[in-house]
Amino acid sequence: MSGLRLYKKEKLCSQTAIDRLFTPPKKGGDIVTGSAMAYPWRAVWSDTTKKTPTCSRFLISVPKKRLRHAVDRVTMRRRMREAYRLGRDLLPKEKHVDIIFIYVANGLTDYASCQKSLKKIFNKVSATPIQPQP
């Protein structure tokens, strides 16, 4: 993909893929999963390189329990989406992951803190080893 826009194929929409991220991995399973906390975001991801998706996919969740007003939830989703759009080059090109970002702060945070936490999360994701192909 070229350019800086967000494509539909980069958004995590599949209910089965989302459920796979929240179920505990089986022992001896072939899927690499991980999670990281970088305030104000928590991330959960799984390596889907074996399943051959076209690119990494993401989902952003801002719970109503954390931000009561819909305007604030939309603002935080927009800030995180913009940080992801500009920072997705930090992910390795050969590694495809499904990643969910969950907002954990109780109030609005600025764009700079979203961008900084995204960089920390992407560094942890890229440090996770890739499973060898059988």
Side-chain angles (χ1 to χ4, degrees), residues 108-131:
L108 283 174
T109 55
D110 59 343
Y111 173 75
S113 64
C114 289
Q115 191 174 24
K116 193 163 76 170
S117 67
L118 182 89
K119 287 181 182 180
K120 287 180 186 177
I121 290 169
F122 279 174
N123 288 335
K124 291 178 183 178
V125 169
S126 59
T128 307
I130 300 173
Q131 285 287 339

mmCIF file with all atom_site columns, all heavy atoms in Angstrom, residues 108-131:
data_model
loop_
_atom_site.group_PDB
_atom_site.id
_atom_site.type_symbol
_atom_site.label_atom_id
_atom_site.label_alt_id
_atom_site.label_comp_id
_atom_site.label_asym_id
_atom_site.label_entity_id
_atom_site.label_seq_id
_atom_site.pdbx_PDB_ins_code
_atom_site.Cartn_x
_atom_site.Cartn_y
_atom_site.Cartn_z
_atom_site.occupancy
_atom_site.B_iso_or_equiv
_atom_site.pdbx_formal_charge
_atom_site.auth_seq_id
_atom_site.auth_comp_id
_atom_site.auth_asym_id
_atom_site.auth_atom_id
_atom_site.pdbx_PDB_model_num
ATOM 1   N N   . LEU A 1 108 ? -9.982  12.763  28.722 1.00 0.00 ? 108 LEU A N   1
ATOM 2   C CA  . LEU A 1 108 ? -9.353  12.995  27.421 1.00 0.00 ? 108 LEU A CA  1
ATOM 3   C C   . LEU A 1 108 ? -7.846  13.171  27.576 1.00 0.00 ? 108 LEU A C   1
ATOM 4   O O   . LEU A 1 108 ? -7.377  13.744  28.553 1.00 0.00 ? 108 LEU A O   1
ATOM 5   C CB  . LEU A 1 108 ? -9.926  14.248  26.769 1.00 0.00 ? 108 LEU A CB  1
ATOM 6   C CG  . LEU A 1 108 ? -11.302 14.141  26.139 1.00 0.00 ? 108 LEU A CG  1
ATOM 7   C CD1 . LEU A 1 108 ? -11.760 15.509  25.671 1.00 0.00 ? 108 LEU A CD1 1
ATOM 8   C CD2 . LEU A 1 108 ? -11.284 13.171  24.996 1.00 0.00 ? 108 LEU A CD2 1
ATOM 9   N N   . THR A 1 109 ? -7.103  12.663  26.621 1.00 0.00 ? 109 THR A N   1
ATOM 10  C CA  . THR A 1 109 ? -5.660  12.882  26.578 1.00 0.00 ? 109 THR A CA  1
ATOM 11  C C   . THR A 1 109 ? -5.322  13.514  25.233 1.00 0.00 ? 109 THR A C   1
ATOM 12  O O   . THR A 1 109 ? -6.071  13.388  24.270 1.00 0.00 ? 109 THR A O   1
ATOM 13  C CB  . THR A 1 109 ? -4.870  11.571  26.753 1.00 0.00 ? 109 THR A CB  1
ATOM 14  O OG1 . THR A 1 109 ? -5.295  10.635  25.771 1.00 0.00 ? 109 THR A OG1 1
ATOM 15  C CG2 . THR A 1 109 ? -5.077  10.988  28.128 1.00 0.00 ? 109 THR A CG2 1
ATOM 16  N N   . ASP A 1 110 ? -4.179  14.171  25.183 1.00 0.00 ? 110 ASP A N   1
ATOM 17  C CA  . ASP A 1 110 ? -3.821  14.878  23.957 1.00 0.00 ? 110 ASP A CA  1
ATOM 18  C C   . ASP A 1 110 ? -3.232  13.928  22.918 1.00 0.00 ? 110 ASP A C   1
ATOM 19  O O   . ASP A 1 110 ? -2.918  12.787  23.192 1.00 0.00 ? 110 ASP A O   1
ATOM 20  C CB  . ASP A 1 110 ? -2.849  16.009  24.266 1.00 0.00 ? 110 ASP A CB  1
ATOM 21  C CG  . ASP A 1 110 ? -1.571  15.526  24.926 1.00 0.00 ? 110 ASP A CG  1
ATOM 22  O OD1 . ASP A 1 110 ? -1.560  14.397  25.434 1.00 0.00 ? 110 ASP A OD1 1
ATOM 23  O OD2 . ASP A 1 110 ? -0.589  16.283  24.925 1.00 0.00 ? 110 ASP A OD2 1
ATOM 24  N N   . TYR A 1 111 ? -3.085  14.438  21.711 1.00 0.00 ? 111 TYR A N   1
ATOM 25  C CA  . TYR A 1 111 ? -2.605  13.648  20.584 1.00 0.00 ? 111 TYR A CA  1
ATOM 26  C C   . TYR A 1 111 ? -1.163  13.184  20.800 1.00 0.00 ? 111 TYR A C   1
ATOM 27  O O   . TYR A 1 111 ? -0.805  12.065  20.438 1.00 0.00 ? 111 TYR A O   1
ATOM 28  C CB  . TYR A 1 111 ? -2.711  14.462  19.296 1.00 0.00 ? 111 TYR A CB  1
ATOM 29  C CG  . TYR A 1 111 ? -2.069  13.779  18.118 1.00 0.00 ? 111 TYR A CG  1
ATOM 30  C CD1 . TYR A 1 111 ? -2.686  12.705  17.502 1.00 0.00 ? 111 TYR A CD1 1
ATOM 31  C CD2 . TYR A 1 111 ? -0.845  14.204  17.628 1.00 0.00 ? 111 TYR A CD2 1
ATOM 32  C CE1 . TYR A 1 111 ? -2.099  12.064  16.431 1.00 0.00 ? 111 TYR A CE1 1
ATOM 33  C CE2 . TYR A 1 111 ? -0.247  13.579  16.563 1.00 0.00 ? 111 TYR A CE2 1
ATOM 34  C CZ  . TYR A 1 111 ? -0.878  12.512  15.962 1.00 0.00 ? 111 TYR A CZ  1
ATOM 35  O OH  . TYR A 1 111 ? -0.285  11.877  14.906 1.00 0.00 ? 111 TYR A OH  1
ATOM 36  N N   . ALA A 1 112 ? -0.335  14.012  21.414 1.00 0.00 ? 112 ALA A N   1
ATOM 37  C CA  . ALA A 1 112 ? 1.074   13.663  21.617 1.00 0.00 ? 112 ALA A CA  1
ATOM 38  C C   . ALA A 1 112 ? 1.218   12.417  22.488 1.00 0.00 ? 112 ALA A C   1
ATOM 39  O O   . ALA A 1 112 ? 2.070   11.561  22.219 1.00 0.00 ? 112 ALA A O   1
ATOM 40  C CB  . ALA A 1 112 ? 1.820   14.835  22.235 1.00 0.00 ? 112 ALA A CB  1
ATOM 41  N N   . SER A 1 113 ? 0.389   12.283  23.520 1.00 0.00 ? 113 SER A N   1
ATOM 42  C CA  . SER A 1 113 ? 0.483   11.088  24.366 1.00 0.00 ? 113 SER A CA  1
ATOM 43  C C   . SER A 1 113 ? -0.022  9.854   23.620 1.00 0.00 ? 113 SER A C   1
ATOM 44  O O   . SER A 1 113 ? 0.500   8.760   23.821 1.00 0.00 ? 113 SER A O   1
ATOM 45  C CB  . SER A 1 113 ? -0.293  11.288  25.665 1.00 0.00 ? 113 SER A CB  1
ATOM 46  O OG  . SER A 1 113 ? -1.660  11.449  25.398 1.00 0.00 ? 113 SER A OG  1
ATOM 47  N N   . CYS A 1 114 ? -1.009  10.023  22.746 1.00 0.00 ? 114 CYS A N   1
ATOM 48  C CA  . CYS A 1 114 ? -1.465  8.895   21.922 1.00 0.00 ? 114 CYS A CA  1
ATOM 49  C C   . CYS A 1 114 ? -0.359  8.429   20.988 1.00 0.00 ? 114 CYS A C   1
ATOM 50  O O   . CYS A 1 114 ? -0.114  7.235   20.834 1.00 0.00 ? 114 CYS A O   1
ATOM 51  C CB  . CYS A 1 114 ? -2.690  9.282   21.103 1.00 0.00 ? 114 CYS A CB  1
ATOM 52  S SG  . CYS A 1 114 ? -4.180  9.490   22.047 1.00 0.00 ? 114 CYS A SG  1
ATOM 53  N N   . GLN A 1 115 ? 0.311   9.372   20.383 1.00 0.00 ? 115 GLN A N   1
ATOM 54  C CA  . GLN A 1 115 ? 1.381   9.047   19.452 1.00 0.00 ? 115 GLN A CA  1
ATOM 55  C C   . GLN A 1 115 ? 2.550   8.369   20.171 1.00 0.00 ? 115 GLN A C   1
ATOM 56  O O   . GLN A 1 115 ? 3.122   7.402   19.678 1.00 0.00 ? 115 GLN A O   1
ATOM 57  C CB  . GLN A 1 115 ? 1.843   10.320  18.751 1.00 0.00 ? 115 GLN A CB  1
ATOM 58  C CG  . GLN A 1 115 ? 2.744   10.100  17.585 1.00 0.00 ? 115 GLN A CG  1
ATOM 59  C CD  . GLN A 1 115 ? 3.040   11.399  16.857 1.00 0.00 ? 115 GLN A CD  1
ATOM 60  O OE1 . GLN A 1 115 ? 2.945   12.484  17.432 1.00 0.00 ? 115 GLN A OE1 1
ATOM 61  N NE2 . GLN A 1 115 ? 3.401   11.301  15.605 1.00 0.00 ? 115 GLN A NE2 1
ATOM 62  N N   . LYS A 1 116 ? 2.886   8.864   21.360 1.00 0.00 ? 116 LYS A N   1
ATOM 63  C CA  . LYS A 1 116 ? 3.989   8.290   22.121 1.00 0.00 ? 116 LYS A CA  1
ATOM 64  C C   . LYS A 1 116 ? 3.666   6.865   22.572 1.00 0.00 ? 116 LYS A C   1
ATOM 65  O O   . LYS A 1 116 ? 4.510   5.968   22.476 1.00 0.00 ? 116 LYS A O   1
ATOM 66  C CB  . LYS A 1 116 ? 4.294   9.181   23.330 1.00 0.00 ? 116 LYS A CB  1
ATOM 67  C CG  . LYS A 1 116 ? 5.597   8.862   24.007 1.00 0.00 ? 116 LYS A CG  1
ATOM 68  C CD  . LYS A 1 116 ? 6.048   9.991   24.910 1.00 0.00 ? 116 LYS A CD  1
ATOM 69  C CE  . LYS A 1 116 ? 5.255   10.012  26.181 1.00 0.00 ? 116 LYS A CE  1
ATOM 70  N NZ  . LYS A 1 116 ? 5.796   10.938  27.182 1.00 0.00 ? 116 LYS A NZ  1
ATOM 71  N N   . SER A 1 117 ? 2.447   6.635   23.030 1.00 0.00 ? 117 SER A N   1
ATOM 72  C CA  . SER A 1 117 ? 2.074   5.291   23.470 1.00 0.00 ? 117 SER A CA  1
ATOM 73  C C   . SER A 1 117 ? 1.996   4.339   22.283 1.00 0.00 ? 117 SER A C   1
ATOM 74  O O   . SER A 1 117 ? 2.342   3.158   22.404 1.00 0.00 ? 117 SER A O   1
ATOM 75  C CB  . SER A 1 117 ? 0.752   5.321   24.223 1.00 0.00 ? 117 SER A CB  1
ATOM 76  O OG  . SER A 1 117 ? -0.312  5.652   23.373 1.00 0.00 ? 117 SER A OG  1
ATOM 77  N N   . LEU A 1 118 ? 1.569   4.819   21.123 1.00 0.00 ? 118 LEU A N   1
ATOM 78  C CA  . LEU A 1 118 ? 1.528   3.974   19.936 1.00 0.00 ? 118 LEU A CA  1
ATOM 79  C C   . LEU A 1 118 ? 2.932   3.522   19.541 1.00 0.00 ? 118 LEU A C   1
ATOM 80  O O   . LEU A 1 118 ? 3.135   2.363   19.180 1.00 0.00 ? 118 LEU A O   1
ATOM 81  C CB  . LEU A 1 118 ? 0.870   4.724   18.787 1.00 0.00 ? 118 LEU A CB  1
ATOM 82  C CG  . LEU A 1 118 ? 0.732   3.907   17.516 1.00 0.00 ? 118 LEU A CG  1
ATOM 83  C CD1 . LEU A 1 118 ? -0.582  3.158   17.545 1.00 0.00 ? 118 LEU A CD1 1
ATOM 84  C CD2 . LEU A 1 118 ? 0.830   4.779   16.311 1.00 0.00 ? 118 LEU A CD2 1
ATOM 85  N N   . LYS A 1 119 ? 3.904   4.407   19.620 1.00 0.00 ? 119 LYS A N   1
ATOM 86  C CA  . LYS A 1 119 ? 5.282   4.034   19.296 1.00 0.00 ? 119 LYS A CA  1
ATOM 87  C C   . LYS A 1 119 ? 5.802   2.967   20.255 1.00 0.00 ? 119 LYS A C   1
ATOM 88  O O   . LYS A 1 119 ? 6.472   2.016   19.842 1.00 0.00 ? 119 LYS A O   1
ATOM 89  C CB  . LYS A 1 119 ? 6.184   5.256   19.323 1.00 0.00 ? 119 LYS A CB  1
ATOM 90  C CG  . LYS A 1 119 ? 5.974   6.171   18.143 1.00 0.00 ? 119 LYS A CG  1
ATOM 91  C CD  . LYS A 1 119 ? 6.894   7.360   18.196 1.00 0.00 ? 119 LYS A CD  1
ATOM 92  C CE  . LYS A 1 119 ? 6.616   8.290   17.022 1.00 0.00 ? 119 LYS A CE  1
ATOM 93  N NZ  . LYS A 1 119 ? 7.491   9.459   17.020 1.00 0.00 ? 119 LYS A NZ  1
ATOM 94  N N   . LYS A 1 120 ? 5.483   3.093   21.548 1.00 0.00 ? 120 LYS A N   1
ATOM 95  C CA  . LYS A 1 120 ? 5.905   2.087   22.517 1.00 0.00 ? 120 LYS A CA  1
ATOM 96  C C   . LYS A 1 120 ? 5.269   0.730   22.207 1.00 0.00 ? 120 LYS A C   1
ATOM 97  O O   . LYS A 1 120 ? 5.927   -0.307  22.265 1.00 0.00 ? 120 LYS A O   1
ATOM 98  C CB  . LYS A 1 120 ? 5.517   2.511   23.933 1.00 0.00 ? 120 LYS A CB  1
ATOM 99  C CG  . LYS A 1 120 ? 6.339   3.618   24.505 1.00 0.00 ? 120 LYS A CG  1
ATOM 100 C CD  . LYS A 1 120 ? 5.861   3.955   25.902 1.00 0.00 ? 120 LYS A CD  1
ATOM 101 C CE  . LYS A 1 120 ? 6.558   5.170   26.470 1.00 0.00 ? 120 LYS A CE  1
ATOM 102 N NZ  . LYS A 1 120 ? 6.042   5.528   27.802 1.00 0.00 ? 120 LYS A NZ  1
ATOM 103 N N   . ILE A 1 121 ? 3.987   0.754   21.881 1.00 0.00 ? 121 ILE A N   1
ATOM 104 C CA  . ILE A 1 121 ? 3.282   -0.495  21.571 1.00 0.00 ? 121 ILE A CA  1
ATOM 105 C C   . ILE A 1 121 ? 3.860   -1.128  20.312 1.00 0.00 ? 121 ILE A C   1
ATOM 106 O O   . ILE A 1 121 ? 4.101   -2.343  20.267 1.00 0.00 ? 121 ILE A O   1
ATOM 107 C CB  . ILE A 1 121 ? 1.771   -0.234  21.429 1.00 0.00 ? 121 ILE A CB  1
ATOM 108 C CG1 . ILE A 1 121 ? 1.172   0.086   22.800 1.00 0.00 ? 121 ILE A CG1 1
ATOM 109 C CG2 . ILE A 1 121 ? 1.059   -1.421  20.792 1.00 0.00 ? 121 ILE A CG2 1
ATOM 110 C CD1 . ILE A 1 121 ? -0.236  0.604   22.756 1.00 0.00 ? 121 ILE A CD1 1
ATOM 111 N N   . PHE A 1 122 ? 4.110   -0.342  19.280 1.00 0.00 ? 122 PHE A N   1
ATOM 112 C CA  . PHE A 1 122 ? 4.667   -0.891  18.046 1.00 0.00 ? 122 PHE A CA  1
ATOM 113 C C   . PHE A 1 122 ? 6.066   -1.455  18.255 1.00 0.00 ? 122 PHE A C   1
ATOM 114 O O   . PHE A 1 122 ? 6.447   -2.434  17.618 1.00 0.00 ? 122 PHE A O   1
ATOM 115 C CB  . PHE A 1 122 ? 4.676   0.165   16.945 1.00 0.00 ? 122 PHE A CB  1
ATOM 116 C CG  . PHE A 1 122 ? 3.349   0.327   16.258 1.00 0.00 ? 122 PHE A CG  1
ATOM 117 C CD1 . PHE A 1 122 ? 3.169   1.330   15.332 1.00 0.00 ? 122 PHE A CD1 1
ATOM 118 C CD2 . PHE A 1 122 ? 2.285   -0.513  16.516 1.00 0.00 ? 122 PHE A CD2 1
ATOM 119 C CE1 . PHE A 1 122 ? 1.957   1.493   14.683 1.00 0.00 ? 122 PHE A CE1 1
ATOM 120 C CE2 . PHE A 1 122 ? 1.067   -0.367  15.893 1.00 0.00 ? 122 PHE A CE2 1
ATOM 121 C CZ  . PHE A 1 122 ? 0.910   0.640   14.961 1.00 0.00 ? 122 PHE A CZ  1
ATOM 122 N N   . ASN A 1 123 ? 6.856   -0.862  19.144 1.00 0.00 ? 123 ASN A N   1
ATOM 123 C CA  . ASN A 1 123 ? 8.170   -1.417  19.455 1.00 0.00 ? 123 ASN A CA  1
ATOM 124 C C   . ASN A 1 123 ? 8.036   -2.779  20.120 1.00 0.00 ? 123 ASN A C   1
ATOM 125 O O   . ASN A 1 123 ? 8.812   -3.698  19.840 1.00 0.00 ? 123 ASN A O   1
ATOM 126 C CB  . ASN A 1 123 ? 8.964   -0.466  20.340 1.00 0.00 ? 123 ASN A CB  1
ATOM 127 C CG  . ASN A 1 123 ? 9.442   0.753   19.591 1.00 0.00 ? 123 ASN A CG  1
ATOM 128 O OD1 . ASN A 1 123 ? 9.603   0.717   18.376 1.00 0.00 ? 123 ASN A OD1 1
ATOM 129 N ND2 . ASN A 1 123 ? 9.661   1.839   20.293 1.00 0.00 ? 123 ASN A ND2 1
ATOM 130 N N   . LYS A 1 124 ? 7.041   -2.940  20.996 1.00 0.00 ? 124 LYS A N   1
ATOM 131 C CA  . LYS A 1 124 ? 6.821   -4.235  21.646 1.00 0.00 ? 124 LYS A CA  1
ATOM 132 C C   . LYS A 1 124 ? 6.296   -5.270  20.659 1.00 0.00 ? 124 LYS A C   1
ATOM 133 O O   . LYS A 1 124 ? 6.662   -6.442  20.719 1.00 0.00 ? 124 LYS A O   1
ATOM 134 C CB  . LYS A 1 124 ? 5.868   -4.084  22.823 1.00 0.00 ? 124 LYS A CB  1
ATOM 135 C CG  . LYS A 1 124 ? 6.480   -3.314  23.968 1.00 0.00 ? 124 LYS A CG  1
ATOM 136 C CD  . LYS A 1 124 ? 5.521   -3.130  25.106 1.00 0.00 ? 124 LYS A CD  1
ATOM 137 C CE  . LYS A 1 124 ? 6.162   -2.287  26.203 1.00 0.00 ? 124 LYS A CE  1
ATOM 138 N NZ  . LYS A 1 124 ? 5.249   -2.048  27.324 1.00 0.00 ? 124 LYS A NZ  1
ATOM 139 N N   . VAL A 1 125 ? 5.441   -4.842  19.741 1.00 0.00 ? 125 VAL A N   1
ATOM 140 C CA  . VAL A 1 125 ? 4.918   -5.760  18.727 1.00 0.00 ? 125 VAL A CA  1
ATOM 141 C C   . VAL A 1 125 ? 6.037   -6.237  17.813 1.00 0.00 ? 125 VAL A C   1
ATOM 142 O O   . VAL A 1 125 ? 6.138   -7.429  17.503 1.00 0.00 ? 125 VAL A O   1
ATOM 143 C CB  . VAL A 1 125 ? 3.791   -5.089  17.900 1.00 0.00 ? 125 VAL A CB  1
ATOM 144 C CG1 . VAL A 1 125 ? 3.429   -5.933  16.694 1.00 0.00 ? 125 VAL A CG1 1
ATOM 145 C CG2 . VAL A 1 125 ? 2.573   -4.847  18.754 1.00 0.00 ? 125 VAL A CG2 1
ATOM 146 N N   . SER A 1 126 ? 6.893   -5.339  17.392 1.00 0.00 ? 126 SER A N   1
ATOM 147 C CA  . SER A 1 126 ? 7.974   -5.726  16.490 1.00 0.00 ? 126 SER A CA  1
ATOM 148 C C   . SER A 1 126 ? 9.041   -6.551  17.203 1.00 0.00 ? 126 SER A C   1
ATOM 149 O O   . SER A 1 126 ? 9.774   -7.302  16.559 1.00 0.00 ? 126 SER A O   1
ATOM 150 C CB  . SER A 1 126 ? 8.595   -4.502  15.829 1.00 0.00 ? 126 SER A CB  1
ATOM 151 O OG  . SER A 1 126 ? 9.093   -3.620  16.795 1.00 0.00 ? 126 SER A OG  1
ATOM 152 N N   . ALA A 1 127 ? 9.111   -6.468  18.537 1.00 0.00 ? 127 ALA A N   1
ATOM 153 C CA  . ALA A 1 127 ? 10.071  -7.280  19.282 1.00 0.00 ? 127 ALA A CA  1
ATOM 154 C C   . ALA A 1 127 ? 9.582   -8.719  19.467 1.00 0.00 ? 127 ALA A C   1
ATOM 155 O O   . ALA A 1 127 ? 10.368  -9.604  19.766 1.00 0.00 ? 127 ALA A O   1
ATOM 156 C CB  . ALA A 1 127 ? 10.338  -6.661  20.642 1.00 0.00 ? 127 ALA A CB  1
ATOM 157 N N   . THR A 1 128 ? 8.290   -8.965  19.280 1.00 0.00 ? 128 THR A N   1
ATOM 158 C CA  . THR A 1 128 ? 7.740   -10.303 19.376 1.00 0.00 ? 128 THR A CA  1
ATOM 159 C C   . THR A 1 128 ? 8.239   -11.130 18.211 1.00 0.00 ? 128 THR A C   1
ATOM 160 O O   . THR A 1 128 ? 8.129   -10.705 17.067 1.00 0.00 ? 128 THR A O   1
ATOM 161 C CB  . THR A 1 128 ? 6.194   -10.267 19.366 1.00 0.00 ? 128 THR A CB  1
ATOM 162 O OG1 . THR A 1 128 ? 5.751   -9.374  20.371 1.00 0.00 ? 128 THR A OG1 1
ATOM 163 C CG2 . THR A 1 128 ? 5.616   -11.621 19.608 1.00 0.00 ? 128 THR A CG2 1
ATOM 164 N N   . PRO A 1 129 ? 8.793   -12.319 18.469 1.00 0.00 ? 129 PRO A N   1
ATOM 165 C CA  . PRO A 1 129 ? 9.352   -13.111 17.360 1.00 0.00 ? 129 PRO A CA  1
ATOM 166 C C   . PRO A 1 129 ? 8.255   -13.636 16.425 1.00 0.00 ? 129 PRO A C   1
ATOM 167 O O   . PRO A 1 129 ? 7.135   -13.918 16.839 1.00 0.00 ? 129 PRO A O   1
ATOM 168 C CB  . PRO A 1 129 ? 10.058  -14.276 18.071 1.00 0.00 ? 129 PRO A CB  1
ATOM 169 C CG  . PRO A 1 129 ? 9.368   -14.383 19.379 1.00 0.00 ? 129 PRO A CG  1
ATOM 170 C CD  . PRO A 1 129 ? 8.925   -12.996 19.756 1.00 0.00 ? 129 PRO A CD  1
ATOM 171 N N   . ILE A 1 130 ? 8.617   -13.787 15.176 1.00 0.00 ? 130 ILE A N   1
ATOM 172 C CA  . ILE A 1 130 ? 7.730   -14.332 14.166 1.00 0.00 ? 130 ILE A CA  1
ATOM 173 C C   . ILE A 1 130 ? 7.837   -15.859 14.211 1.00 0.00 ? 130 ILE A C   1
ATOM 174 O O   . ILE A 1 130 ? 8.934   -16.404 14.285 1.00 0.00 ? 130 ILE A O   1
ATOM 175 C CB  . ILE A 1 130 ? 8.081   -13.811 12.765 1.00 0.00 ? 130 ILE A CB  1
ATOM 176 C CG1 . ILE A 1 130 ? 7.961   -12.296 12.717 1.00 0.00 ? 130 ILE A CG1 1
ATOM 177 C CG2 . ILE A 1 130 ? 7.203   -14.457 11.713 1.00 0.00 ? 130 ILE A CG2 1
ATOM 178 C CD1 . ILE A 1 130 ? 8.445   -11.699 11.425 1.00 0.00 ? 130 ILE A CD1 1
ATOM 179 N N   . GLN A 1 131 ? 6.711   -16.542 14.160 1.00 0.00 ? 131 GLN A N   1
ATOM 180 C CA  . GLN A 1 131 ? 6.721   -18.005 14.145 1.00 0.00 ? 131 GLN A CA  1
ATOM 181 C C   . GLN A 1 131 ? 7.282   -18.484 12.825 1.00 0.00 ? 131 GLN A C   1
ATOM 182 O O   . GLN A 1 131 ? 6.948   -17.970 11.759 1.00 0.00 ? 131 GLN A O   1
ATOM 183 C CB  . GLN A 1 131 ? 5.292   -18.542 14.313 1.00 0.00 ? 131 GLN A CB  1
ATOM 184 C CG  . GLN A 1 131 ? 4.763   -18.423 15.705 1.00 0.00 ? 131 GLN A CG  1
ATOM 185 C CD  . GLN A 1 131 ? 5.400   -19.414 16.642 1.00 0.00 ? 131 GLN A CD  1
ATOM 186 O OE1 . GLN A 1 131 ? 5.946   -20.427 16.228 1.00 0.00 ? 131 GLN A OE1 1
ATOM 187 N NE2 . GLN A 1 131 ? 5.343   -19.125 17.920 1.00 0.00 ? 131 GLN A NE2 1
#
